[in-house]
């Protein structure tokens, strides 16, 4: 289909029904890199930014491009309660103070400390399917890992992690694809759960992230229940379906590129790190993040007014031929690969990036060695979301193998 101004609809889940709309992205990058996109229901509209250099520059300039009141396109998604703000939706210096509380738990060293535990979770997850010879890769494998990892980090039971993960899926779904009020209901359920966790960690402190947040102080003041709830929601939310979709979307990419898959499986020992980065570039599980212009600026000759919404399309930036050689080709050995799947390197750069990489490496290694002939067993169904991209269901089959324990 020829792309024209009339065919572009980045707010419709239908545009993402077969993965990200790469033809539309290419048209936008070439013809309207700062594109005025309408918003339904009387919203003011937004500027869609699709070139790599622009996405990077905007993400790194919080003074001009603010994350407040929200990083979602619709204004009613702002998560501000009184003068409390969620870290993801706050600007420096408030943001810096919040990030400092948990920064330490997310360094490469902290992530490396989790790796043995994450590897054993991966092998337990694959144990559950390996004898069956078939499964839904998304629900049975890819979705299990991040929910367990976040439960482990927060110090809550693994099964609760799974339940909370189900809530994040509802929160990220396009509103028209779930029952009316379901999104808000899921947030409330998450807050109620977080409230109980905070009470428990105050009573019985443990060596986990939840205990750390509950006892943290900002400017000499202890964080209160609302701050805790906002942290809890962000952490459960941010690390869940992003990692899951990377794993599922990455596997689909390997199915669609058999030569690259064979190359990776033959050289897993050396190619795993570059292959994981290439999957991040290719899949870009976070489709976009929004900012608000704090002053009038000009971008590619377009006048952006103070208060305008400016939306960075990471998936489009990651296929920009101005930044990547052979951008439309999957190359599991690509190097360098300065993708923006975790953000463009500004103050909100994905805090969980190191942990996500440990998860991705461990699960890819497990799947590509123990389910080595894994192949599609039916059509992929993609998530009905304009914010998070990845398969919802991915039926697969493989030669049954043996459990490790
Ligand atoms: C493949 C997996 C993941 C992807 C693609 C991803 C992507 C992103 C992106 C695009 C941002 C916003 C960056 C920006 O605005 O500059 C972000 C922020 C964030 N991510 Fe991730 N993420 C992933 C996994 C995780 C995991 C596993 C965790 C936690 C365990 C996590 C925690 C966070 C947090 C807390 C933020 C907010 C940081 C801030 O506001 O300062 N993410 N992530």
């Amino acid at each position: 289909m020829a792309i024209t101004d009339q065919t572009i609809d980045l707010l419709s889940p239908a545009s993402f029904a077969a993965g990200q709309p790469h033809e539309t992205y290419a048209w936008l990058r070439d013809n309207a890199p700062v594109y005025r996109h309408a918003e339904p229901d009387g919203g003011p509209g937004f500027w869609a930014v699709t070139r790599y250099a622009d996405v990077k520059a905007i993400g790194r300039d919080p003074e001009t491009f603010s994350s407040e009141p929200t990083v979602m396109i619709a204004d009613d998604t702002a998560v501000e309660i009184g003068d409390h703000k969620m870290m993801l939706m706050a600007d420096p210096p408030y943001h810096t103070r919040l990030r400092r509380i948990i920064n330490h738990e997310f360094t490469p060293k902290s992530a490396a400390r989790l790796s043995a535990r994450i590897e054993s979770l991966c092998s337990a997850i694959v144990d559950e399917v390996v004898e069956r010879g078939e499964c839904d890769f998304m629900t049975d494998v890819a979705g299990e890992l991040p929910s367990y990892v976040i439960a482990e980090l927060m110090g809550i039971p693994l099964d609760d992690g799974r339940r909370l993960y189900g809530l994040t899926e509802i929160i990220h779904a396009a509103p028209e694809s779930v029952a009316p009020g379901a999104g808000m209901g899921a947030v409330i359920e998450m807050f109620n759960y977080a409230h109980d966790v905070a009470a428990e960690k105050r009573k019985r402190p443990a060596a986990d992230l939840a205990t750390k947040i509950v006892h943290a102080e900002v400017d000499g003041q202890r964080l209160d229940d609302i701050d805790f709830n906002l942290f809890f929601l962000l952490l459960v939310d941010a690390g869940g379906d992003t990692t899951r979709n990377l794993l599922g979307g990455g596997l689909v990419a390997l199915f669609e590129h058999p030569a690259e898959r064979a190359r990776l499986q033959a050289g897993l020992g050396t190619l795993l790190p570059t292959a994981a980065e290439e999957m991040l570039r290719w899949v870009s599980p976070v489709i976009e993040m929004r900012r608000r212009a704090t002053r009038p600026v000009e971008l590619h000759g377009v006048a952006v007014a103070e208060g305008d919404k400016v939306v960075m399309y990471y998936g489009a930036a990651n296929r920009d031929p101005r930044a990547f050689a052979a951008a439309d080709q999957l190359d599991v050995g690509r190097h360098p690969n300065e993708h923006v799947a975790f953000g463009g390197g500004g103050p909100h750069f994905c805090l969980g990036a190191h942990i996500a990489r440990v998860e991705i490496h461990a699960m890819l290694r497990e799947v590509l060695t123990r389910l080595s002939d894994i192949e599609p067993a039916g059509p992929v169904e993609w998530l009905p979301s304009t914010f998070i991209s990845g398969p919802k269901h991915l039926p697969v089959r493989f030669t049954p193998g043996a459990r490790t324990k």
Side-chain angles (χ1 to χ4, degrees), residues 23 78 93 143 181 191 197 206-207 214 234 246 276 279 281 298 302 312 339 358:
E23 274 182 47
F191 278 179
V197 174
V214 137
L234 173 62
L246 183 282
M279 285 178 183
R281 183 184 79 86
E298 204 182 292
V302 167
M312 303 170 286
H339 63 75
V358 170

Side-chain angles (χ1 to χ4, degrees), residues 103-173:
N103 231 345
H104 199 67
E105 308 296 311
F106 292 90
T107 58
K109 236 194 194 154
S110 306
R113 269 201 298 272
L114 284 173
S115 77
R117 180 70 184 129
I118 288 177
E119 279 161 20
S120 91
L121 285 171
C122 291
S123 106
I125 290 166
V126 170
D127 268 355
E128 285 304 307
V129 300
V130 67
E131 291 169 332
R132 285 177 15 208
E134 59 175 12
C135 68
D136 180 340
F137 188 77
M138 300 317 291
T139 50
D140 297 335
V141 180
E144 293 288 82
L145 178 62
S147 53
Y148 284 174
V149 169
I150 201 69
E152 185 90 8
L153 271 176
M154 293 303 246
I156 58 175
L158 295 191
D159 271 344
D160 289 5
R162 191 189 268 169
R163 202 183 96 219
L164 296 173
Y165 170 78
L167 297 177
T168 67
E169 277 204 312
I170 299 173
I171 295 169
H172 287 169

Side-chain angles (χ1 to χ4, degrees), residues 322-371:
R322 294 160 193 81
F324 299 96
D328 280 328
Q329 278 170 35
L330 185 83
D331 171 1
V332 294
R334 184 182 291 275
H335 185 78
N337 188 350
E338 298 290 324
H339 63 75
V340 289
F342 289 127
H348 293 277
F349 185 79
C350 177
L351 188 62
H354 301 300
I355 294 180
R357 286 188 170 109
V358 170
E359 291 183 58
I360 295 163
H361 292 187
M363 190 53 102
L364 282 177
R365 193 181 300 110
E366 193 72 17
V367 168
L368 294 176
T369 49
R370 293 185 62 203
L371 313 176

Side-chain angles (χ1 to χ4, degrees), residues 145-369:
L145 178 62
S147 53
Y148 284 174
V149 169
I150 201 69
E152 185 90 8
L153 271 176
M154 293 303 246
I156 58 175
L158 295 191
D159 271 344
D160 289 5
R162 191 189 268 169
R163 202 183 96 219
L164 296 173
Y165 170 78
L167 297 177
T168 67
E169 277 204 312
I170 299 173
I171 295 169
H172 287 169
E176 59 271 34
S177 70
V178 290
M184 191 38 79
V187 171
I188 292 168
E189 202 177 327
M190 186 87 82
F191 278 179
N192 287 339
Y193 185 89
H195 181 267
D196 294 345
V197 174
E200 167 68 18
K201 301 295 172 186
R202 278 195 193 103
K203 238 189 283 161
R204 276 180 280 277
D208 55 45
L209 191 52
T211 302
K212 183 151 196 175
I213 300 170
V214 137
H215 292 98
E217 287 185 0
V218 174
D219 299 338
Q221 278 197 315
R222 186 63 69 83
L223 294 185
D224 65 15
D225 273 2
I226 298 175
D227 292 313
F228 182 84
N229 286 357
L230 292 175
F231 256 126
F232 192 86
L233 176 63
L234 173 62
L235 287 166
V236 174
D237 206 21
D241 49 7
T242 44
T243 313
R244 170 193 121 122
N245 292 341
L246 183 282
L247 290 168
L251 189 61
V252 171
L254 292 183
F255 289 159
E256 288 170 350
H257 299 82
E260 286 303 291
R261 174 189 176 163
R263 183 179 164 213
L264 174 59
Q265 281 185 290
L268 209 53
T270 49
L271 282 173
L272 196 54
T274 49
E277 297 310 307
E278 182 68 340
M279 285 178 183
L280 282 157
R281 183 184 79 86
W282 194 259
V283 179
S284 282
V286 177
I287 295 170
E288 46 84 5
M289 287 276 175
R290 161 203 156 170
R291 297 294 187 259
R292 175 182 52 84
T294 59
R295 59 179 175 85
V297 274
E298 204 182 292
L299 290 173
H300 294 292
V302 167
V304 174
E306 181 180 339
D308 279 2
K309 303 177 188 186
V310 179
V311 180
M312 303 170 286
Y313 278 87
Y314 297 123
N318 275 336
R319 299 279 181 106
D320 186 349
R322 294 160 193 81
F324 299 96
D328 280 328
Q329 278 170 35
L330 185 83
D331 171 1
V332 294
R334 184 182 291 275
H335 185 78
N337 188 350
E338 298 290 324
H339 63 75
V340 289
F342 289 127
H348 293 277
F349 185 79
C350 177
L351 188 62
H354 301 300
I355 294 180
R357 286 188 170 109
V358 170
E359 291 183 58
I360 295 163
H361 292 187
M363 190 53 102
L364 282 177
R365 193 181 300 110
E366 193 72 17
V367 168
L368 294 176
T369 49

